[in-house]
Amino acid sequence: MTTPPSPCHHAETTTLLWLYGEIDDQHAAHVASCPDCSEVARLHADVLSLAAPSLRETPEPLAGRPLVEVSKGGEGVSLGWTLGALAVAATVLLAIGVVWMGSVESPSEPAVVRAPHPSASEVARLLVEDARDLEAASFDDLEDLSDNLEELSDDLDWLEESLASL
Amino acid sequence: MQDPLTSLDTRIASYHDQLIAFLRKRVASDPEELAQEVWLRIHRAAPDLPDEAAFRAYMYTVARRLVIDRHRRQAARLELVSVDGQTLERLSQWTGGPDRDLEAREVLVVVTSTLEQMSPEMAQVFRWRVLEDVPFKVIAQRQGCPVNTALARMHRAVKKLSVALADAGLVREDP
Ligand SMILES: [Zn+2]
């Protein structure tokens, strides 16, 4: 009943890496000349070309859903989760930042002197806003979103570093 | 000896229509643009393939990879992300239009239920790789397994999906 393993040792290793763009095109010549690898390429192309468009053509109410809602209950969906986590992290950092500002700030020596501008609490506040904006954003351009997330993560890293160094 | 460029020009002239037909079955838009990309890649790689059959195989091979690449990117932009109970519930409420929508929904239902029946690790590899464009190396790290295990899981997932789609009468014919 079970299919025997592919005789070509590339079929389920190198060829998959090549198909999904993780190694360079030199392997194409092997795939073209190898029946096992060609079959693997055909199988993956057919399944993805069939499955992906149907998933892409899901109705409007789905496409407009907020990111965080999209991720609920779905395993391994990291974007929504990441945004939620960033919002929480930013909120926590905002709280820390505010407490810290309150504790060290004095009229003669403003706390911001020790950190690059803007102040840590200001960045934390902006992060909370950014994270909320991103949560509300629709899922129409993943690259944009990734860029935003990266920026947000960088800001958070910076904020953590600034707070840690105080 | 034939100049390789002239030879490629000749082959483009001979095979372009076949290539377009192949791509049209597999991508929703811009088969022409994808075909140009195929020719560009073949030109860059400059394969020494005097044999016509070998060249055709090579051309389709490059085309298949680009098809996968495009679908992966497009899927990553949208809704496979929400392959979960909510999606199906909403889909069932959705009053779609013509046959194509119906087929798309059937495919989605089959894909969703097949993913649910797989081991969580296997379904996860498929979702990460196709939807979120996570490299296999990173998937392997996340799952705490060798890269070859992640690759094997991906391949088994695709095989299961292929069987399920075939059982549902939803597979395409090969050219
Ligand atoms: Zn092979």
Side-chain angles (χ1 to χ4, degrees), chain A residues 7-11 15 27 30-31 33-38:
Chain A
C8 175
H9 69 281
H10 289 308
T15 295
H27 189 64
H30 169 80
V31 178
S33 64
C34 170
D36 299 325
C37 290
S38 295

Side-chain angles (χ1 to χ4, degrees), chain B:
Chain B
M1 282 292 281
Q2 206 177 7
D3 172 13
L5 263 185
T6 314
S7 156
L8 183 58
D9 281 347
T10 312
R11 275 163 165 171
I12 290 174
S14 320
Y15 292 117
H16 190 70
D17 289 350
Q18 280 180 46
L19 179 61
I20 291 289
F22 174 88
L23 292 170
R24 189 168 285 132
K25 281 189 190 171
R26 288 168 172 76
V27 295
S29 63
D30 296 327
E32 191 66 51
E33 186 196 325
L34 211 54
Q36 295 302 329
E37 181 67 23
V38 171
W39 295 126
L40 185 67
R41 296 218 177 181
I42 291 174
H43 170 62
R44 277 202 207 119
D48 183 21
L49 296 166
D51 178 62
E52 287 303 311
F55 179 80
R56 280 191 57 213
Y58 185 80
M59 176 187 79
Y60 284 126
T61 298
V62 172
R64 284 195 174 101
R65 173 168 160 177
L66 286 171
V67 165
I68 287 181
D69 193 49
R70 174 178 292 192
H71 287 305
R72 205 179 71 210
R73 285 167 199 277
Q74 287 174 334
R77 287 170 184 272
L78 250 213
E79 280 298 329
L80 185 58
V81 169
S82 60
V83 169
D84 57 18
Q86 273 189 341
T87 308
L88 283 181
E89 195 182 322
R90 294 204 189 202
L91 274 172
S92 66
Q93 292 162 3
W94 179 57
T95 48
D99 291 350
R100 198 153 158 266
D101 295 329
L102 188 68
E103 189 190 301
R105 276 187 292 162
E106 283 173 4
V107 169
L108 183 57
V109 168
V110 170
V111 170
T112 305
S113 63
T114 309
L115 285 171
E116 277 169 3
Q117 286 159 25
M118 291 174 195
S119 74
E121 293 81 10
M122 201 189 292
Q124 190 65 276
V125 172
F126 181 85
R127 288 194 177 115
W128 273 335
R129 193 64 197 88
V130 175
L131 307 181
E132 299 182 34
D133 222 7
V134 181
F136 287 115
K137 206 198 238 175
V138 177
I139 291 174
Q141 282 166 359
R142 288 185 187 178
Q143 294 195 332
C145 65
V147 173
N148 280 355
T149 304
L151 291 167
R153 284 173 180 159
M154 179 69 184
H155 188 56
R156 286 207 302 276
V158 168
K159 280 208 279 198
K160 279 177 187 288
L161 287 167
S162 174
V163 168
L165 290 165
D167 287 350
L170 292 163
V171 279
R172 289 156 201 266
E173 286 172 33
D174 222 33

Side-chain angles (χ1 to χ4, degrees), chain A residues 115-139:
Chain A
H117 57 82
S119 71
S121 66
E122 175 61 8
V123 172
R125 190 186 63 73
L126 291 172
L127 279 174
V128 173
E129 281 179 12
D130 279 357
R132 282 179 188 150
D133 285 350
L134 279 175
E135 273 181 30
S138 64
F139 198 73

